[in-house]
Amino acid sequence: MRVDTEALIDYDEDGRQFADTSAEFVRREVAPNLDRWRSDGAVPKSFFSRAGETGLLGVQAPCAAGGLGVTDLRLAELPIRSLVDVGAVGTALAVGVHASIALPIIAAWGSGQSLELLSDLVSGDMVASVAGLNGKVELSDEGVLRGVAYGVPSAAIASIFLVVAEDEAGGSRIVCVEQDSAIVHHELRHLGAGDAGARTVEFDDVSVEAYTVLPDGATDDLLTRVAVLTGGISIMAAEFCLTRTVEYVNERQVFGRPVALFDNTRVQVGQMFAAIRMGRALHTAVLTHGDGSDSAAENAIALADRGIELYSRSADLGVQLHGGYGYMTEYPIAHAYAAARFLELVVRGLPIMQERLARAAGLVTRPLASATPRAVG
């Protein structure tokens, strides 16, 4: 049984077939291996190759690179939903960063030399990640990249990083950096979302060529995509937590009757369902009305902020109603709780996102670079 708050989205026949393909792939490739990937601290690189063979990575990639060239974000997120439905929040983040952020950013803003790279990303032969939103990375006028990025998804297996760096004028630029130019600290892992393969990545005076620096505008596009992805994952994960909680309280007996019959349970679960339903409505609006405008970007950032908050609340409620079992990793709610904290650390409260929301609320403008970066280890 699954708590369904998704009634606002109506997929066509192609969408339903793609959803079935995604769900079958996840049942076959992910569910049996998820515990091991969490223990290993990352999904294996071979997983991306199998996902590419199934056609799950290139939904938003141009046809010339072997992709589908789809612009409907609802269709593009179906593999992400299938992953979250089995509790693989970290894997969903890793796949989403690769397929829904890095790949379309390179396709839209990269040079003409990027077609071969795009083909490798679509096939899963190469894995892409995004670094620099947490921590501080700087790009000098001489083209030297230096700094540290924290909580970088897929860093354990990434072939290429899109690095968000502050230039000497105080703006933000995106630089494409190959893995062998970065220092990945494999010894530093996060408790939650272990399958995301997140690591700390250091850039120690890396010389970059001009063609690897993406044009102005790419950073805003990337930030919006990060918000859409993490907000969507969070709403789905909140639904996952509520579903697991409802299943548990319907079956768990206390004082001779199901926990679901206690007034406190019914009030809190009902309120959470209503909150997630509202979050799903915002998510649907962001997916269907993302036109690249400032208001669309603000809605996406609001989705990420509210979505992660909802995910944390839903996970908290699940742990509470599971009692002591909520802290045991044999129960999915324990992993969901830890993954929610990971997203709180690495996404929610990012200075650049909070500044955008402050501007949208009407506060006096200040340079985005003046927001103090957070160091998340």
Side-chain angles (χ1 to χ4, degrees):
M1 191 276 292
R2 171 180 146 193
V3 173
D4 184 12
T5 66
E6 200 188 2
L8 296 176
I9 294 182
D10 182 23
Y11 296 109
D12 59 17
E13 183 60 28
D14 288 341
R16 287 188 287 272
Q17 289 181 2
F18 188 58
D20 290 342
T21 298
S22 300
E24 174 56 31
F25 174 83
V26 169
R27 282 192 294 268
R28 183 180 69 251
E29 299 287 347
V30 178
N33 300 305
L34 184 55
D35 286 340
R36 175 165 54 84
W37 294 349
R38 286 171 175 154
S39 178
D40 292 344
V43 300
K45 206 165 185 177
S46 58
F47 163 77
F48 276 85
S49 296
R50 292 192 294 273
E53 291 172 0
T54 310
L56 303 185
L57 301 181
V59 178
Q60 299 183 69
C63 297
L68 300 180
V70 171
T71 58
D72 188 343
L73 296 179
R74 299 175 304 162
L75 189 67
E77 77 162 13
L78 285 174
I80 306 300
R81 168 161 286 282
S82 296
L83 288 163
V84 176
D85 279 348
V86 299
V89 174
T91 308
L93 183 62
V95 170
V97 167
H98 173 98
S100 297
I101 299 177
L103 202 156
I105 287 292
I106 293 171
W109 300 95
S111 67
Q113 300 169 316
S114 62
L115 187 59
E116 183 178 353
L117 171 59
L118 288 172
S119 298
D120 288 338
L121 295 176
V122 169
S123 68
D125 291 341
M126 294 181 68
V127 178
S129 185
V130 173
L133 291 175
N134 261 306
K136 188 175 183 65
V137 183
E138 297 175 318
L139 177 66
S140 72
D141 290 343
E142 292 74 32
V144 177
L145 196 69
R146 60 174 64 91
V148 179
Y150 302 99
V152 180
S154 297
I157 59 171
S159 313
I160 188 170
F161 297 97
L162 297 189
V163 184
V164 181
E166 181 182 333
D167 61 26
E168 293 192 18
S172 293
R173 302 299 296 269
I174 296 177
V175 186
C176 297
V177 178
E178 294 184 358
Q179 185 274 337
D180 57 6
S181 296
I183 303 171
V184 180
H185 292 275
H186 292 281
E187 71 280 6
L188 300 177
R189 298 186 183 182
H190 293 266
L191 175 63
D195 47 317
R199 300 288 190 274
T200 294
V201 181
E202 183 178 353
F203 304 94
D204 185 13
D205 291 342
V206 178
S207 296
V208 299
E209 300 292 339
Y211 74 88
T212 66
V213 181
L214 301 188
D216 290 337
T219 304
D220 288 342
D221 189 3
L222 182 140
L223 180 62
T224 300
R225 290 180 180 277
V226 168
V228 172
L229 174 69
T230 55
I233 287 176
S234 297
I235 296 295
M236 298 172 200
E239 293 173 342
F240 172 84
C241 291
L242 189 59
T243 296
R244 300 285 83 79
T245 301
V246 167
E247 290 174 347
Y248 181 81
V249 299
N250 279 338
E251 296 176 2
R252 175 68 172 167
Q253 298 276 328
V254 175
F255 303 123
R257 59 175 180 160
V259 175
L261 295 181
F262 289 87
D263 287 345
N264 177 69
T265 302
R266 303 184 77 81
V267 170
Q268 291 200 60
V269 168
Q271 290 177 343
M272 182 55 61
F273 178 85
I276 295 173
R277 184 93 180 191
M278 292 294 291
R280 170 60 64 189
L282 175 58
H283 181 213
T284 301
V286 168
L287 292 180
T288 54
H289 301 295
D291 57 5
S293 64
D294 287 344
S295 62
E298 292 160 3
N299 286 340
I301 295 171
L303 171 66
D305 185 86
R306 294 295 85 196
I308 295 172
E309 191 265 345
L310 270 177
Y311 178 19
S312 293
R313 284 174 50 200
S314 187
D316 289 352
L317 177 62
V319 168
Q320 175 192 350
L321 292 178
H322 275 72
Y325 293 120
Y327 296 96
M328 299 176 65
T329 55
E330 289 85 350
Y331 287 80
I333 195 67
H335 293 288
Y337 178 89
R341 268 53 201 175
F342 174 78
L343 283 178
E344 286 270 7
L345 283 172
V346 302
V347 179
R348 193 178 184 215
L350 283 176
I352 192 170
M353 287 193 177
Q354 292 305 309
E355 179 63 22
R356 291 295 177 85
L357 291 176
R359 288 184 181 188
L363 295 182
V364 62
T365 299
R366 70 176 182 181
L368 290 176
S370 68
T372 304
R374 299 182 308 155
V376 178

